[in-house]
Amino acid sequence: MPQPRQMHLGVFVLGTGNHIAGWRWPGAAQSFEDLSVVQEIARIAERGKFDLIFLGDNLSTDPGMHPSFAARFEPITMLAALAATTTHVGLGATASTTYNEPYTVARQFASLDHLSGGRAAWNAVTSSGEKAALNYGREHPRHDARYEIAEEFVDVVRGLWDCWDDGAVVRDHATGRYIDPAKVKPLDHEGRFFRVKGPLPTSRCPQGQPIVLQAGSSEPGLNLAARTADVVFTVVQDLGEAQAGYQALKSRMARFGRHPDEIAVLPGVMPVLGSTTAEAREKLNRLQGFVNPGNALVMLSSRLGQDVSHYPLDALVPEDLPLPDTSHGFAGAMLAKAWRERMTWRDLFNLAGAARGHWVVAGTPEEVADTLQQWFESRACDGFNILPAWFPGAFEEFVDQVVPLLQRRGLYRRDYRGNMLRDHLGLPRPRSRLF
Amino acid sequence: MPQPRQMHLGVFVLGTGNHIAGWRWPGAAQSFEDLSVVQEIARIAERGKFDLIFLGDNLSTDPGMHPSFAARFEPITMLAALAATTTHVGLGATASTTYNEPYTVARQFASLDHLSGGRAAWNAVTSSGEKAALNYGREHPRHDARYEIAEEFVDVVRGLWDCWDDGAVVRDHATGRYIDPAKVKPLDHEGRFFRVKGPLPTSRCPQGQPIVLQAGSSEPGLNLAARTADVVFTVVQDLGEAQAGYQALKSRMARFGRHPDEIAVLPGVMPVLGSTTAEAREKLNRLQGFVNPGNALVMLSSRLGQDVSHYPLDALVPEDLPLPDTSHGFAGAMLAKAWRERMTWRDLFNLAGAARGHWVVAGTPEEVADTLQQWFESRACDGFNILPAWFPGAFEEFVDQVVPLLQRRGLYRRDYRGNMLRDHLGLPRPRSRLF
């Protein structure tokens, strides 16, 4: 009997919770600068047999931002620390293709893959926030230019990961030969944006190549993902839109010679659980009541990629607001919902404060499992990136109350079948294209 | 009674040992891509109450290099992984000021300081190897230019570390205020090489600022160190030269308003121990017998920063060989010894193969302790960076046989007196200069 299609689950890690005021929940973790907090999150993720834990990133900050964006661990160092205290869960971190060098990024994720025994994942982002440019002394490239750079950047990183063939490290005690030089090649990349000779000082990764994550939903973002991504995070608010986005990505993979199953699409979702529907809604209301609207329009300006601070908080979001160049995913999904539901700026701020523009599902464990199952089976996604409102409680509730239902329904693994992230995703280990 | 002056000890971590053929020693670790190997090294370092473990770095590779240079962990990720499984030992890694962005370096080391509870150390190097340029698509700046860049780079990194004052994270549950914005400032740096606005998305480090390591011994290198370093690694082969170098660094600190005790000078030394002097020498000979001279002149060219591959292996090292622009420390110490002792290229290769140009001391534990004591007491150094020939055995021998002698003589701590690297070094926690 063939194995039924299985969900993939990730968790979006922010120490103070994904909800902007999650840290105010009784018993919630208070900091994203405390290793014991993220170690606890990782333990819960492995208890729930999650595919991966994931960290976003920003290259600028402001004290008025989400607390875990304002004061946080740098993602690569944090995941490396977790490599030593976890055994199965994938470790995914964001690194920008606009503000890094491909040699450095390739090296750090290759190292993370070795440190973790094959669990590294790189979220290749183009950095939508133009304030990053001020920390790197340069101009912020426009959206299309960022994606042209990203296409080449990803190719260089993957090329560097291919410079060592399997079996290059021979450690021959008889002859004293440590490396077989025939199994190490330079990349000799000379492109429009990068010249990179290679090889890396790192032998072939346990996974062959670390997993590549992406989250772009614009036209160039979809092309980059269809060509190069293994996992795609999406921002959704509506089933029909999610199905259309899923189809738009999967259908274009053939152009690049790829099968639709080679990408797992994981929308972000914040589950809020209660023993009754009313209790779950009450919990969400209580969380929303913790939100301090003092900097609402500043925060919304950041999420939408344009200055909206001159609007009255209780005015309707105008239907002629332009979609910004900088960040299509969040702005597009949030504004579509605002227009569909005739939201005020205050409503939109509450939506953004809850899950930063991601989808919120409040209900009993059965109701939440039903909704996730419906989305999964109607091909709106291949699983979910879970955004617990606070840690560890809200994540434990999901793992202890919803995951067992998904398992009982045959939708989700009861245990890991391998030790590498590639195993969890059902992706084969690639051969080097240089040998 | 005042505490007598105390030695500081670091260990230079390379998974296959510091000796180029250390991996061929019976029982030696075989890889620098195995987390359990470096975890074991870190455990031994903490047993020996070491100040810090340290990783060098290169931004290019060649299969003919030292095995732990050819296939290795990237230093920052490796130290972050160790942060989770160690409690006291300092964690020092190299990051180049020529091929990185100050915002990224400041962030990763600040994150490492948080992850480790105050044990991060950044070795600021200018990258002597010009092959790095080929992996970063740019020209390799000349020696003096690299140091001009480095001066500004270090200032920017330290400035970014100062952008958050202590107490900025208030987490006020009553008001919902998480951060006090009055305690977070931008840096607004506009310099000759860098424009960096700041702040970092990281609150003030446990150590206030991570420790800064350096290893420059040229005139601009000494100035940079005298102005900004907390620990300086040196390459020595001769007591008189070491004393002169020590004095040259310490005496210029006053120019920058600093006290000589604010820098710990740690020469690299490879101890080779035996129960008799003869047994130690025999051990060193056995190690040297493992060296494969096939690529001797290629390796020497890399250490000396110039192509010497056209010389016959058994010719004398010519006295008119120019000192290269690229790397003063190693080349200077090695060539001075070669000329002093009328070495052939083969002799020089054997020296470089043993400890990459660092000092080798073979003898009984008492003899080695005597020598270290003599150097320490005659102000050639403030301690040592130990380079075990292989791991874990040669490092365990030093910790179990030499460290107790140093402790008994009152030269070295019997236990840690604090949890942070700054505590081990006896350095106060700095206040932010922006508040």
Side-chain angles (χ1 to χ4, degrees):
Chain A
M1 203 176 76
Q3 168 86 358
R5 183 167 162 255
Q6 295 280 294
M7 271 187 199
H8 299 287
L9 293 179
V11 56
F12 195 112
V13 177
L14 288 177
T16 62
N18 282 279
H19 192 285
I20 196 169
W23 61 279
R24 296 179 77 180
W25 193 267
Q30 298 294 298
S31 171
F32 197 19
E33 296 182 319
D34 179 341
L35 180 57
S36 68
V37 168
V38 293
Q39 285 177 327
E40 173 73 7
I41 294 169
R43 269 193 296 273
I44 299 166
E46 293 199 323
R47 180 150 58 84
K49 314 302 176 191
F50 269 50
D51 292 70
L52 79 161
I53 60 180
F54 170 70
L55 274 91
D57 197 27
N58 282 86
L59 298 178
S60 65
T61 193
D62 181 285
M65 290 173 103
H66 188 298
S68 283
F69 284 12
R72 70 193 308 178
F73 289 130
E74 183 279 333
I76 294 171
T77 47
M78 197 199 98
L79 288 187
L82 290 179
T85 59
T86 53
T87 57
H88 286 79
V89 75
L91 305 169
T94 293
S96 169
T97 55
T98 305
Y99 294 103
N100 284 301
E101 290 282 348
Y103 189 83
T104 305
V105 168
R107 230 188 131 191
Q108 292 198 320
F109 281 91
S111 185
L112 182 62
D113 208 54
H114 279 281
L115 285 163
S116 63
R119 298 185 284 128
W122 168 41
N123 183 33
V125 305
T126 66
S127 297
S128 59
E130 63 191 359
K131 287 187 178 167
L134 303 176
N135 291 323
Y136 287 86
R138 54 181 93 157
E139 294 285 306
H140 189 58
R142 287 183 57 81
H143 188 271
D144 284 1
R146 292 203 309 274
Y147 273 93
E148 287 168 24
I149 295 167
E151 291 275 358
E152 188 178 329
F153 194 113
V154 172
D155 287 346
V156 174
V157 168
R158 294 200 130 166
L160 287 168
W161 286 338
D162 273 348
C163 287
W164 288 64
D165 203 2
D166 288 317
V169 179
V170 292
R171 295 187 194 100
D172 184 340
H173 278 255
T175 63
R177 196 169 73 154
Y178 191 84
I179 288 168
D180 176 356
K183 295 193 168 180
V184 186
K185 284 186 185 169
L187 177 65
D188 285 327
H189 173 86
E190 304 251 352
R192 191 169 147 215
F193 303 104
F194 302 105
R195 276 182 298 132
V196 183
K197 185 166 177 58
L200 290 183
T202 312
S203 70
R204 189 154 185 80
C205 291
Q207 292 191 101
Q209 298 222 336
I211 294 297
V212 173
L213 317 173
Q214 275 163 45
S217 61
S218 64
E219 188 62 22
L222 285 173
N223 280 333
L224 178 64
R227 188 171 72 83
T228 68
D230 301 307
V231 174
V232 170
F233 295 133
T234 58
V235 184
V236 301
Q237 290 289 350
D238 176 84
L239 178 59
E241 274 178 21
Q243 288 169 316
Y246 184 88
Q247 184 57 23
L249 174 63
K250 297 273 179 159
S251 63
R252 82 177 64 194
M253 291 176 68
R255 288 187 212 169
F256 304 104
R258 301 182 73 200
H259 188 277
D261 290 350
E262 291 178 47
I263 292 181
V265 174
L266 309 185
V269 56
M270 176 178 286
V272 179
L273 297 167
S275 58
T276 62
T277 316
E279 188 186 300
R281 295 223 174 108
E282 200 269 315
K283 236 162 140 177
L284 180 56
N285 286 339
R286 186 171 168 203
L287 271 168
Q288 295 294 77
F290 286 144
V291 176
N292 191 334
N295 49 14
L297 290 168
V298 174
M299 190 270 243
L300 272 181
S301 299
S302 160
R303 295 316 289 171
L304 296 175
Q306 59 190 301
D307 183 9
V308 298
S309 62
H310 50 289
Y311 289 102
L313 203 52
D314 289 304
L316 284 179
V317 176
E319 300 228 0
D320 57 354
L321 198 77
L323 258 185
D325 168 68
T326 47
S327 175
H328 285 266
F330 281 100
M334 285 167 64
L335 289 175
K337 185 177 170 84
W339 294 327
R340 202 164 52 233
E341 303 182 9
R342 295 186 52 75
M343 285 179 161
T344 65
W345 287 107
R346 188 185 299 277
D347 297 331
L348 195 60
F349 171 70
N350 282 331
L351 180 74
R356 304 190 309 285
H358 283 289
W359 179 37
V360 178
V361 181
T364 65
E366 289 74 15
E367 287 167 347
V368 169
D370 289 348
T371 304
L372 300 186
Q373 179 170 359
Q374 182 201 4
W375 281 54
F376 176 66
E377 290 183 341
S378 64
R379 303 272 170 179
C381 63
D382 300 306
F384 300 92
N385 198 29
I386 305 298
L387 288 84
W390 72 92
F391 288 103
F395 187 33
E396 284 189 302
E397 287 173 6
F398 182 84
V399 164
D400 294 340
Q401 298 170 25
V402 179
V403 165
L405 297 177
L406 301 174
Q407 288 169 330
R408 224 169 293 151
R409 298 177 190 185
L411 296 167
Y412 184 64
R413 70 175 71 88
R414 286 174 187 274
D415 205 353
Y416 293 112
R417 294 182 173 215
N419 297 322
M420 298 198 195
L421 174 54
R422 214 166 256 291
D423 300 328
H424 315 334
L425 294 169
L427 296 173
R429 186 173 186 278
R431 288 186 54 83
S432 166
R433 288 155 296 188
L434 289 181
F435 293 89
Chain B
M1 202 176 78
Q3 169 86 356
R5 185 168 161 253
Q6 296 280 294
M7 270 188 199
H8 299 287
L9 292 180
V11 57
F12 195 112
V13 177
L14 290 177
T16 63
N18 282 280
H19 192 284
I20 196 169
W23 61 280
R24 297 179 76 181
W25 193 268
Q30 298 293 297
S31 172
F32 197 20
E33 296 182 318
D34 180 341
L35 180 56
S36 68
V37 168
V38 292
Q39 284 176 327
E40 172 72 5
I41 294 168
R43 268 193 295 275
I44 299 166
E46 292 199 324
R47 180 149 57 85
K49 313 302 175 191
F50 269 50
D51 292 70
L52 79 161
I53 60 180
F54 170 71
L55 274 90
D57 196 27
N58 282 86
L59 297 178
S60 65
T61 192
D62 181 285
M65 289 172 103
H66 188 297
S68 284
F69 285 12
R72 70 191 307 178
F73 290 129
E74 182 279 332
I76 294 170
T77 48
M78 196 198 97
L79 288 188
L82 290 179
T85 59
T86 53
T87 56
H88 285 79
V89 75
L91 305 168
T94 293
S96 170
T97 54
T98 305
Y99 294 103
N100 284 301
E101 290 281 348
Y103 189 83
T104 305
V105 168
R107 232 189 129 189
Q108 293 198 320
F109 282 91
S111 186
L112 182 62
D113 207 54
H114 279 281
L115 285 163
S116 63
R119 296 184 284 129
W122 167 41
N123 183 32
V125 305
T126 66
S127 297
S128 59
E130 62 192 0
K131 287 187 178 167
L134 303 175
N135 291 323
Y136 288 86
R138 54 182 93 157
E139 294 284 307
H140 190 59
R142 287 184 56 80
H143 188 271
D144 284 1
R146 292 204 308 276
Y147 274 94
E148 288 168 23
I149 296 167
E151 291 275 357
E152 188 178 328
F153 193 113
V154 172
D155 288 346
V156 174
V157 168
R158 295 200 128 167
L160 287 169
W161 287 337
D162 273 349
C163 286
W164 288 65
D165 203 1
D166 288 317
V169 179
V170 290
R171 296 187 194 99
D172 184 340
H173 279 254
T175 63
R177 196 169 75 155
Y178 191 84
I179 289 168
D180 177 356
K183 294 192 168 181
V184 186
K185 284 187 185 169
L187 177 64
D188 284 328
H189 174 86
E190 304 251 352
R192 191 170 146 212
F193 302 104
F194 302 105
R195 275 183 299 132
V196 183
K197 183 163 178 61
L200 290 183
T202 312
S203 68
R204 190 154 184 81
C205 291
Q207 293 190 100
Q209 298 222 335
I211 293 297
V212 173
L213 317 173
Q214 277 164 43
S217 61
S218 64
E219 188 63 22
L222 284 173
N223 280 333
L224 178 64
R227 188 172 72 83
T228 68
D230 302 307
V231 174
V232 170
F233 295 134
T234 58
V235 184
V236 301
Q237 290 288 350
D238 176 83
L239 178 58
E241 275 177 19
Q243 288 170 313
Y246 184 88
Q247 184 56 25
L249 174 63
K250 298 272 179 159
S251 64
R252 82 178 64 195
M253 291 176 69
R255 288 188 212 167
F256 304 103
R258 301 182 72 201
H259 188 277
D261 291 350
E262 291 177 47
I263 292 182
V265 174
L266 309 184
V269 57
M270 176 178 286
V272 179
L273 298 166
S275 58
T276 62
T277 316
E279 188 186 298
R281 294 222 173 109
E282 200 270 316
K283 236 161 142 178
L284 179 56
N285 286 338
R286 187 172 168 202
L287 271 169
Q288 296 293 77
F290 286 144
V291 176
N292 191 334
N295 49 13
L297 290 168
V298 173
M299 189 271 243
L300 273 181
S301 299
S302 159
R303 293 316 288 171
L304 296 176
Q306 60 189 300
D307 184 8
V308 297
S309 61
H310 51 287
Y311 288 103
L313 203 52
D314 289 304
L316 285 179
V317 176
E319 301 227 1
D320 56 355
L321 197 77
L323 257 185
D325 168 68
T326 46
S327 175
H328 285 266
F330 281 100
M334 285 167 63
L335 289 175
K337 185 177 170 85
W339 295 327
R340 202 164 53 232
E341 301 182 8
R342 295 187 51 78
M343 286 178 161
T344 65
W345 287 107
R346 187 185 300 277
D347 297 331
L348 195 60
F349 171 70
N350 282 331
L351 180 74
R356 305 191 308 285
H358 283 290
W359 179 38
V360 179
V361 181
T364 65
E366 288 74 15
E367 286 168 347
V368 170
D370 289 348
T371 304
L372 300 186
Q373 178 170 1
Q374 182 201 6
W375 281 54
F376 176 66
E377 291 183 341
S378 65
R379 302 273 169 177
C381 61
D382 300 306
F384 301 92
N385 198 28
I386 304 298
L387 289 83
W390 72 94
F391 288 103
F395 187 32
E396 283 189 302
E397 288 173 6
F398 182 83
V399 164
D400 294 339
Q401 297 170 26
V402 179
V403 165
L405 297 177
L406 300 175
Q407 289 170 328
R408 223 168 295 152
R409 297 177 191 185
L411 297 167
Y412 184 64
R413 69 175 71 90
R414 287 174 185 273
D415 205 353
Y416 293 111
R417 295 185 172 210
N419 297 321
M420 299 199 193
L421 174 54
R422 212 165 258 290
D423 299 328
H424 314 335
L425 294 169
L427 295 173
R429 186 172 187 276
R431 288 187 54 84
S432 166
R433 288 155 296 188
L434 289 181
F435 293 89

